[in-house]
Amino acid sequence: MTLGMIWTIILRFAIQDISVEETSAKEGLLLWCQRKTAPYRNVNVQNFHCSWKDGLAFCALIHRHRRDLIIYSKLNKFLEWIRRTTPWLENRTTETTMAAMRKKQEDYCDYRCMHKPPKVQEKCQLEISFNTLQTKLHIKNSLLVQEGHLN
């Protein structure tokens, strides 16, 4: 949601009226994003809406320019796990036999004990990386303002 808001602000106020050689700024920004993310597996930027929903394109842009901030190969594994696990978690069918209910309970216990803890740890690592990036950018911007580079 935040990323969508940022794109809306950029498109609406910053580049809406810019045009170079019959290409609007929006089209130019989209083309730039497509070129920068082209080498990345599972990233296919087609627009500023659906192409950004899973966050992979945004992470690819960050990784393309600052490889030290994101371990991109781990993101693919994490997203694949989410894609595999989500349908199972969303299965809300009611079982009719006691054996089927026990099986469902065993599967859920297996998920809680075996699958979820490593993913929670990976999520925490992603949050730490994101917060580190935010802090570094904030410090860099503060230093630029203090040195008189930005007003």
Side-chain angles (χ1 to χ4, degrees), residues 56-119:
L56 204 54
F58 187 63
C59 290
L61 281 176
I62 293 170
H63 184 260
R64 179 71 181 237
H65 294 280
R66 292 289 307 271
R67 294 183 184 274
D68 59 311
L69 297 177
I70 293 178
I71 302 171
Y72 190 80
S73 59
K74 287 189 177 183
L75 291 176
N76 280 327
K77 292 175 188 173
F78 186 60
L79 287 174
E80 282 302 315
W81 178 84
I82 289 171
R83 287 184 188 117
R84 281 194 320 270
T85 308
T86 300
W88 176 78
L89 290 172
E90 290 176 344
N91 180 7
R92 303 276 192 242
T93 58
T94 305
E95 303 301 337
T96 57
T97 66
M98 187 59 94
M101 286 297 292
R102 284 191 183 122
K103 172 71 172 128
K104 202 172 217 180
Q105 183 181 14
E106 288 172 11
D107 289 345
Y108 181 72
C109 288
D110 180 55
Y111 163 76
R112 294 271 302 163
C113 296
M114 303 297 290
H115 297 283
K116 191 174 181 183
K119 299 307 170 190

Side-chain angles (χ1 to χ4, degrees), residues 138-151:
H138 179 71
I139 290 170
K140 182 180 177 182
N141 288 338
S142 295
L143 290 174
L144 288 174
V145 169
Q146 289 174 0
E147 293 174 4
H149 293 298
L150 295 175
N151 293 351

